[in-house]
Amino acid sequence: MTPAPIQSIHSYHAHIYFADAAERERAAQLRAQIGARFAVQLGRWHEQPIGPHDLPMYQVAFAVEEFARFIPFLMLNRAGLTILIHPNTRDARRDHLTHAFWMGKILPIVRPDQLPTDIDDTDMDIVVPNTAPSLSA
Ligand code: ZN
């Protein structure tokens, strides 16, 4: 089988989950730390599970070039939170089920059959960094 080329990774998501008020507070602290340090796209808060996600969370979209700095920061600073990291290729189903990795617990992926498997290139999300980092990682 031909290996999948890493160039098929368009961007990444980190989904930062919280199960209760204490975790939500830690997730808010982590969000502020991320926003101050990384040129990433901070998604809105989802206070209820949405899409394939089994717990409330927010998403951080980031460019391929940020991976080597951003992932170690999460490793050191996730404060016990569960985080899903997945690439964005054209196959969202495999990205969530097969290509992903987890920090903390592994949560179920909800209704994976509803995730598309052949996203058109023109429909791939563009990562728009909307933060102005002022601190170094
Ligand atoms: Zn995602």
Side-chain angles (χ1 to χ4, degrees):
M1 195 169 90
T2 309
I6 60 172
Q7 289 79 9
S8 63
I9 298 176
H10 182 265
S11 63
Y12 294 92
H13 287 169
H15 293 273
I16 297 170
Y17 295 92
F18 49 96
D20 55 30
E23 286 194 0
R24 192 187 188 289
E25 177 60 32
R26 297 207 300 275
Q29 283 181 4
L30 180 57
R31 184 182 173 94
Q33 292 168 351
I34 292 167
R37 287 167 178 80
F38 295 96
V40 295
Q41 180 176 312
L42 290 168
R44 62 180 167 273
W45 290 89
H46 293 284
E47 305 290 347
Q48 300 295 327
I50 185 171
H53 304 288
D54 199 44
L55 281 178
M57 59 83 200
Y58 60 85
Q59 175 199 86
V60 182
F62 57 102
V64 167
E65 296 74 30
E66 281 291 288
F67 188 95
R69 282 187 347 115
F70 184 50
I71 296 305
F73 184 85
L74 293 179
M75 288 173 168
L76 297 180
N77 296 289
R78 69 182 176 87
L81 298 170
T82 294
I83 302 177
L84 164 68
I85 292 113
H86 69 79
N88 293 310
T89 69
R90 292 169 55 152
D91 190 334
R93 190 177 304 167
R94 290 185 72 182
D95 289 344
H96 287 77
L97 293 176
T98 309
H99 301 151
F101 69 94
W102 294 83
M103 296 180 188
K105 285 178 283 213
I106 297 176
L107 299 176
I109 295 295
V110 179
R111 295 184 301 279
D113 52 300
Q114 296 189 3
L115 291 167
T117 58
D118 191 14
I119 301 169
D120 193 88
D121 280 339
T122 57
D123 291 333
M124 297 293 290
D125 286 341
I126 306 292
V127 175
V128 181
N130 61 355
T131 62
S134 57
L135 302 173
S136 62

